[in-house]
Coordinates of all heavy atoms in Angstrom, one line a residue:
L45 N 131.7 -29.7 325.8 CA 132.7 -30.8 325.5 C 132.2 -31.4 324.2 O 131.0 -31.5 323.9 CB 132.7 -31.8 326.6 CG 133.8 -32.9 326.6 CD1 135.2 -32.3 326.7 CD2 133.6 -33.9 327.7
T46 N 133.2 -31.9 323.3 CA 132.7 -32.5 322.1 C 132.4 -34.0 322.5 O 132.9 -34.6 323.4 CB 133.8 -32.6 321.0 OG1 134.9 -33.4 321.4 CG2 134.3 -31.1 320.7
A47 N 131.5 -34.6 321.7 CA 131.2 -36.0 321.7 C 130.7 -36.4 320.3 O 130.1 -35.5 319.6 CB 130.2 -36.4 322.8
Y48 N 131.0 -37.6 320.0 CA 130.7 -38.0 318.6 C 129.8 -39.3 318.5 O 129.5 -39.7 317.4 CB 132.0 -38.2 317.8 CG 133.0 -37.1 318.0 CD1 134.1 -37.4 318.9 CD2 132.8 -35.9 317.5 CE1 135.0 -36.4 319.1 CE2 133.8 -34.9 317.7 CZ 134.9 -35.1 318.6 OH 135.8 -34.1 318.8
D49 N 129.6 -39.9 319.7 CA 128.8 -41.1 319.7 C 127.9 -41.2 320.9 O 128.0 -40.3 321.8 CB 129.7 -42.4 319.6 CG 130.5 -42.7 320.9 OD1 130.1 -42.2 322.0 OD2 131.5 -43.3 320.8
A50 N 127.0 -42.1 320.9 CA 125.9 -42.2 321.9 C 126.5 -42.4 323.3 O 126.1 -41.7 324.3 CB 125.0 -43.4 321.6
T51 N 127.4 -43.3 323.5 CA 127.9 -43.6 324.9 C 128.7 -42.5 325.5 O 128.4 -42.0 326.6 CB 128.8 -44.9 324.8 OG1 128.0 -45.9 324.3 CG2 129.2 -45.3 326.2
F52 N 129.7 -41.9 324.7 CA 130.4 -40.8 325.3 C 129.5 -39.6 325.6 O 129.7 -38.9 326.6 CB 131.6 -40.4 324.4 CG 132.8 -41.2 324.6 CD1 133.2 -42.2 323.6 CD2 133.6 -41.1 325.7 CE1 134.3 -43.0 323.8 CE2 134.8 -41.8 325.9 CZ 135.1 -42.8 324.9
A53 N 128.5 -39.4 324.7 CA 127.6 -38.3 324.9 C 126.8 -38.5 326.2 O 126.7 -37.6 327.1 CB 126.6 -38.1 323.8
A54 N 126.3 -39.7 326.5 CA 125.6 -40.0 327.7 C 126.5 -39.9 328.9 O 126.0 -39.3 329.9 CB 125.0 -41.4 327.6
V55 N 127.7 -40.3 328.8 CA 128.6 -40.2 330.0 C 128.9 -38.7 330.3 O 128.9 -38.3 331.4 CB 129.9 -41.0 329.7 CG1 131.0 -40.7 330.8 CG2 129.6 -42.4 329.7
A56 N 129.2 -37.9 329.2 CA 129.5 -36.5 329.4 C 128.3 -35.8 330.0 O 128.4 -35.0 330.9 CB 129.8 -35.8 328.1
D57 N 127.1 -36.2 329.6 CA 125.9 -35.6 330.1 C 125.7 -35.9 331.6 O 125.5 -35.1 332.5 CB 124.7 -36.1 329.3 CG 123.4 -35.6 329.9 OD1 122.9 -34.4 329.6 OD2 122.8 -36.3 330.8
A58 N 126.0 -37.2 331.9 CA 125.8 -37.7 333.3 C 126.9 -37.0 334.2 O 126.6 -36.8 335.4 CB 126.0 -39.2 333.4
A59 N 128.0 -36.6 333.6 CA 129.1 -36.0 334.4 C 128.8 -34.5 334.6 O 129.5 -33.8 335.2 CB 130.4 -36.1 333.7
G60 N 127.7 -34.0 334.0 CA 127.3 -32.6 334.2 C 127.6 -31.6 333.2 O 127.5 -30.4 333.4
V61 N 128.1 -32.0 332.0 CA 128.5 -31.1 330.9 C 127.2 -30.5 330.4 O 126.2 -31.2 330.1 CB 129.2 -31.8 329.8 CG1 129.3 -31.0 328.6 CG2 130.6 -32.3 330.3
E62 N 127.1 -29.2 330.3 CA 125.9 -28.5 329.8 C 125.7 -28.6 328.3 O 124.5 -28.7 327.8 CB 125.9 -27.1 330.3 CG 125.5 -26.9 331.7 CD 126.5 -26.2 332.6 OE1 127.5 -25.7 332.0 OE2 126.3 -26.1 333.8
C63 N 126.8 -28.4 327.6 CA 126.6 -28.4 326.1 C 127.5 -29.4 325.5 O 128.7 -29.5 325.7 CB 127.1 -27.0 325.5 SG 126.2 -25.6 326.2
I64 N 126.9 -30.3 324.6 CA 127.7 -31.3 323.9 C 127.8 -30.8 322.4 O 126.8 -30.6 321.8 CB 127.1 -32.6 324.0 CG1 127.2 -33.1 325.5 CG2 127.8 -33.6 323.1 CD1 126.7 -34.4 325.8
L65 N 129.0 -30.7 322.0 CA 129.3 -30.3 320.6 C 129.7 -31.5 319.7 O 130.7 -32.1 320.0 CB 130.4 -29.2 320.6 CG 130.9 -28.9 319.2 CD1 129.9 -28.2 318.3 CD2 132.2 -27.9 319.3
V66 N 128.8 -31.8 318.7 CA 129.3 -32.8 317.8 C 130.1 -32.0 316.8 O 129.6 -31.4 315.8 CB 128.1 -33.4 317.1 CG1 128.6 -34.6 316.1 CG2 127.1 -34.0 318.1
G67 N 131.4 -31.9 317.1 CA 132.3 -31.0 316.3 C 132.8 -31.7 315.1 O 132.9 -32.9 315.0
D68 N 133.1 -30.9 314.1 CA 133.7 -31.5 312.9 C 135.2 -31.9 313.1 O 135.8 -32.5 312.3 CB 133.6 -30.6 311.6 CG 134.3 -29.3 311.8 OD1 134.9 -29.0 312.9 OD2 134.3 -28.5 310.8
S69 N 135.6 -31.7 314.4 CA 136.9 -32.3 314.8 C 136.8 -33.8 314.7 O 137.9 -34.5 314.7 CB 137.2 -31.9 316.2 OG 136.1 -32.1 317.1
L70 N 135.6 -34.3 314.6 CA 135.5 -35.8 314.4 C 136.2 -36.3 313.1 O 136.6 -37.4 313.1 CB 134.0 -36.2 314.4 CG 133.1 -35.8 313.2 CD1 133.3 -36.6 312.0 CD2 131.7 -35.8 313.7
G71 N 136.4 -35.4 312.2 CA 137.2 -35.7 311.0 C 138.6 -36.2 311.4 O 139.2 -37.1 310.8
M72 N 139.2 -35.5 312.4 CA 140.5 -35.9 312.8 C 140.5 -37.0 313.9 O 141.3 -38.0 313.7 CB 141.2 -34.6 313.4 CG 141.7 -33.7 312.2 SD 141.4 -32.0 312.6 CE 143.2 -31.5 312.7
V73 N 139.6 -36.9 314.9 CA 139.7 -37.9 315.9 C 139.0 -39.2 315.6 O 139.3 -40.2 316.2 CB 139.3 -37.3 317.3 CG1 140.1 -36.2 317.7 CG2 137.8 -36.9 317.3
C74 N 138.0 -39.2 314.7 CA 137.2 -40.4 314.4 C 137.6 -40.9 313.1 O 137.6 -42.1 312.8 CB 135.7 -40.2 314.5 SG 135.1 -39.6 316.1
Q75 N 137.8 -40.0 312.1 CA 138.0 -40.5 310.7 C 139.4 -40.5 310.3 O 139.7 -41.0 309.2 CB 137.2 -39.5 309.8 CG 135.7 -39.5 309.9 CD 135.1 -38.6 308.9 OE1 135.2 -37.4 309.0 NE2 134.5 -39.2 307.9
G76 N 140.3 -40.0 311.1 CA 141.7 -40.0 310.8 C 142.2 -39.1 309.7 O 143.2 -39.3 309.0
L77 N 141.4 -38.0 309.4 CA 141.8 -37.0 308.4 C 142.8 -36.1 309.0 O 143.0 -36.0 310.2 CB 140.5 -36.2 308.0 CG 139.3 -37.0 307.5 CD1 138.1 -36.1 307.2 CD2 139.7 -37.8 306.2
T78 N 143.5 -35.3 308.1 CA 144.5 -34.4 308.6 C 143.9 -33.0 308.9 O 144.6 -32.2 309.5 CB 145.7 -34.3 307.6 OG1 145.1 -33.9 306.4 CG2 146.5 -35.6 307.5
S79 N 142.7 -32.8 308.5 CA 142.1 -31.5 308.9 C 140.5 -31.8 308.9 O 140.1 -32.9 308.5 CB 142.4 -30.4 307.9 OG 141.6 -30.5 306.7
T80 N 139.8 -30.7 309.2 CA 138.3 -30.9 309.2 C 137.7 -30.6 307.8 O 136.5 -30.8 307.6 CB 137.7 -29.9 310.2 OG1 138.0 -28.6 309.9 CG2 138.2 -30.2 311.6
V81 N 138.6 -30.2 306.9 CA 138.1 -29.8 305.6 C 137.3 -30.9 304.8 O 136.3 -30.7 304.1 CB 139.2 -29.3 304.7 CG1 138.8 -28.9 303.3 CG2 139.9 -28.0 305.4
G82 N 137.7 -32.2 305.0 CA 137.1 -33.3 304.3 C 135.8 -33.8 304.9 O 135.2 -34.8 304.4
V83 N 135.3 -33.2 306.0 CA 134.1 -33.8 306.7 C 132.9 -33.4 305.9 O 132.7 -32.2 305.5 CB 134.1 -33.2 308.2 CG1 132.8 -33.7 308.9 CG2 135.3 -33.7 308.9
T84 N 132.0 -34.3 305.7 CA 130.8 -34.0 304.9 C 129.6 -33.8 305.8 O 129.6 -34.2 307.0 CB 130.5 -35.2 304.0 OG1 130.1 -36.3 304.8 CG2 131.7 -35.5 303.1
L85 N 128.5 -33.2 305.2 CA 127.3 -33.0 306.0 C 126.7 -34.4 306.4 O 126.2 -34.5 307.5 CB 126.3 -32.2 305.1 CG 125.0 -31.9 305.7 CD1 125.2 -31.0 307.0 CD2 124.1 -31.1 304.7
E86 N 126.8 -35.4 305.5 CA 126.2 -36.7 305.8 C 126.9 -37.3 307.1 O 126.2 -37.8 307.9 CB 126.3 -37.6 304.6 CG 125.9 -39.1 304.9 CD 124.5 -39.2 305.6 OE1 123.7 -38.4 305.6 OE2 124.4 -40.3 306.3
T87 N 128.2 -37.1 307.1 CA 129.0 -37.6 308.3 C 128.5 -36.8 309.6 O 128.3 -37.5 310.6 CB 130.5 -37.4 308.1 OG1 130.8 -38.2 307.0 CG2 131.3 -37.9 309.3
M88 N 128.3 -35.5 309.5 CA 127.9 -34.8 310.6 C 126.5 -35.2 311.0 O 126.1 -35.2 312.2 CB 127.9 -33.3 310.3 CG 129.3 -32.7 310.2 SD 130.5 -33.1 311.5 CE 129.6 -32.5 312.9

Side-chain angles (χ1 to χ4, degrees):
L45 190 63
T46 67
Y48 316 104
D49 70 25
T51 301
F52 276 107
V55 171
D57 176 86
V61 170
E62 279 124 7
C63 302
I64 293 182
L65 168 65
V66 186
D68 62 358
S69 50
L70 66 80
M72 285 142 112
V73 299
C74 300
Q75 293 182 290
L77 303 176
T78 53
S79 80
T80 60
V81 174
V83 177
T84 65
L85 183 61
E86 172 49 24
T87 299
M88 292 308 304

